[in-house]
Amino acid sequence: MNVNSPLIRKCVSLGFIPSDKISTSATANSHTSEFILNNSKLSSKELAKYCSAWFNLPSLDLSKVDPSNVPLDNISEELVKKHHLIPLCKRGRTLFLATSDPTDFDAFEDFEFNTGLQTEAIVVDYTSLEQFIESIFSKTDDLALSDEEFEQFGDIEVSDTEANLSEDAAPDKDDAPIIVYINKILMDAIRKGASDLHFEPYEKSYRIRFRIDGILHEVASPPQMLSSRISARVKVMSRLDIAEKRKPQDGRIKLKITAKKSIDFRVSTLPTLWGEKIVMRILDSSSAMLGIDVLGYEVEQKAMYMDALSQPQGMILVTGPTGSGKTVSLYTGLNILNKPEVNISTAEDPVEINLVGVNQVQINPKADMTFANALRAFLRQDPDIVMVGEIRDLETAEIAIKAAQTGHLVLSTLHTNSAPETLTRLLNMGVPAYNVASSISLIIAQRLARRLCNNCKTPEQLPVEELKSQGFSEQQIASITLYKAVGCEHCTEGYKGRVGIYEVMKITPQISQIIMSGGNSLDIAKASLESGFNNLRLSGLEKAAKGVTSLAEINRVTSY
């Protein structure tokens, strides 16, 4: 152990550890946190609390983390126990590590070398971490399979429908290479941190693309003649009708990695001119356990979100295009609210992530289980908190608003471009202005921007006039250093992982007055800025000014 550890020096400077306790012989075989706990009056939880505050890092209670969801690909038991670090989840190209000593930089470099991922620290208490690590490695079946073992797994979650396949589509021995190939593609997507997979047939070619950090990348181009066999294999795994090639279908795959660890894929097929295009979305349950501190909210924005979540009633709306991280924001809020003393019900289409303690309902229009009907049923089920996957029509909006006005906390999403436009969208649906003004407490508009790779990003010099035209203030221009993407072996085109950009707008009395008087989204946007709420563009520029992402990336994801 390093006797010059910044954490030990901090404890000595604050008087938690007597300076005469520091000696090489005394600490050579100790972990930093263990040494501090043995030579001070600090408890394990107190040390974690101080570490989080000293180094401005998020903290987490490990008792709320399911050990079976820990991503252990390419990570050995020896590496974990050597450094007293455990990965909690992976988001894009970033691996979040639970640690009791965030200053152990050698340990983080070791994990980055072994995984090829960028790492970020989440502070936990030492005692809980030791117990958590022990619980994970006490049984060998929690370890992930190797490539060879995975290929031998063969048919993954294939139902008995194979016995009923049509004669021309029934699998035979010639399909074994296709099974192995699809298995390998799925495993590669998981390891590369992809969010979506695209299987696309064309007249003379076939391509497979992964969406990594929000951008599509071509990863394979199998022969076009395999198009029908690839789609048939994926449809069998998804329990879809492989004889039906004229209509779109939706299914789901549960990819079992070990006896206790599995990953879900949402599958959608679409008939095209040259065959069926298939898109698979990876549903990562660990992303819902990240915690609000690592999503990218600014301090003021986080405070407003937490305040809205603490209210007994009202409506919180999250808005943005598909793939902007709305689901993660909602589930993060639900995780904060998920306590034994409250009743939480959700209506979703589809249910992407399973949450223990939350009553989740899958929308099924064919069975007349619509968002509106589900909401009506919820209100007869003694709810405290209700989450509606999306407000799509006036009926759903009216029931959700009535729920928010009658003592329930309601969370939902809309597809609009900004927070002010969300209010006018509800008004255009036909919701009365007084209901909108009195029921909605907070609106969050968001986008996801790619993070710059810390290994290769380089400073970017731009003229002052250009910076002003981009929207930077004179105060920012005087002190900022912008960076641009370069690209190296550790990243994808100069970026690793993503960060959220948010417009968090509280419904103030001034904004309520504009709504009641029939003001438009421009009037609301002006009032929002006057109240000190940054719009998406200003929030993005703040991220660029801090060196988190590049100006080019902000221009890509926000209006300029």
Side-chain angles (χ1 to χ4, degrees), residues 164-199:
N164 300 321
L165 302 181
S166 61
E167 183 178 350
D168 63 326
D172 55 32
K173 64 180 181 180
D174 292 334
D175 286 324
I178 295 294
I179 292 173
V180 173
Y181 183 71
I182 296 298
N183 291 353
K184 182 65 176 173
I185 289 291
L186 298 185
M187 206 60 177
D188 284 347
I190 295 167
R191 287 177 175 161
K192 290 181 179 180
S195 60
D196 301 87
L197 298 78
H198 291 240
F199 297 80

Side-chain angles (χ1 to χ4, degrees), residues 401-525:
I401 284 174
K402 286 177 183 176
Q405 291 173 330
T406 54
H408 307 92
L409 181 62
V410 180
L411 291 80
S412 189
T413 70
L414 271 89
H415 286 284
T416 59
N417 291 326
S418 68
E421 289 176 30
T422 304
L423 295 169
T424 54
R425 170 75 185 279
L426 289 170
L427 295 171
N428 291 338
M429 277 186 181
V431 180
Y434 60 85
N435 279 340
V436 173
S438 63
S439 60
I440 298 173
S441 54
L442 191 76
I443 302 176
I444 301 172
Q446 64 182 77
R447 301 289 188 275
L448 288 177
R450 292 177 292 173
R451 286 180 181 268
L452 282 167
C453 171
N454 289 326
N455 290 307
C456 63
K457 68 180 184 181
T458 59
E460 180 180 25
Q461 299 295 330
L462 292 175
V464 173
E465 293 75 15
E466 174 66 14
L467 294 175
K468 287 182 179 179
S469 69
Q470 291 283 345
F472 288 105
S473 66
E474 292 186 4
Q475 185 179 359
Q476 286 177 315
I477 293 172
S479 59
I480 63 171
T481 300
L482 296 179
Y483 293 86
K484 63 181 179 180
V486 177
C488 66
E489 59 184 8
H490 301 289
C491 64
T492 304
E493 297 177 352
Y495 298 95
K496 289 178 68 174
R498 289 193 286 178
V499 64
I501 297 172
Y502 303 93
E503 176 184 17
V504 181
M505 187 178 78
K506 188 176 180 180
I507 306 304
T508 63
Q510 182 186 1
I511 293 175
S512 294
Q513 185 62 41
I514 294 172
I515 296 170
M516 295 294 292
S517 62
N520 57 33
S521 60
L522 294 177
D523 299 325
I524 298 170

Side-chain angles (χ1 to χ4, degrees), residues 4-54:
N4 292 317
S5 163
L7 184 55
I8 289 181
R9 293 203 307 269
K10 186 77 174 177
C11 289
V12 172
S13 68
L14 294 175
F16 290 131
I17 301 176
S19 57
D20 59 1
K21 293 283 188 180
I22 308 299
S23 68
T24 305
S25 60
T27 62
N29 297 317
S30 303
H31 183 265
T32 303
S33 300
E34 182 183 15
F35 172 79
I36 293 171
L37 296 175
N38 289 338
N39 292 277
S40 72
K41 293 183 179 180
L42 291 173
S43 68
S44 184
K45 290 187 177 180
E46 286 173 337
L47 179 60
K49 181 181 178 181
Y50 283 126
C51 278
S52 177
W54 290 338

Side-chain angles (χ1 to χ4, degrees), residues 149-160:
E149 291 170 324
F150 183 78
E151 289 179 0
Q152 293 170 5
F153 205 83
D155 295 342
I156 302 172
E157 288 290 321
V158 179
S159 67
D160 294 334

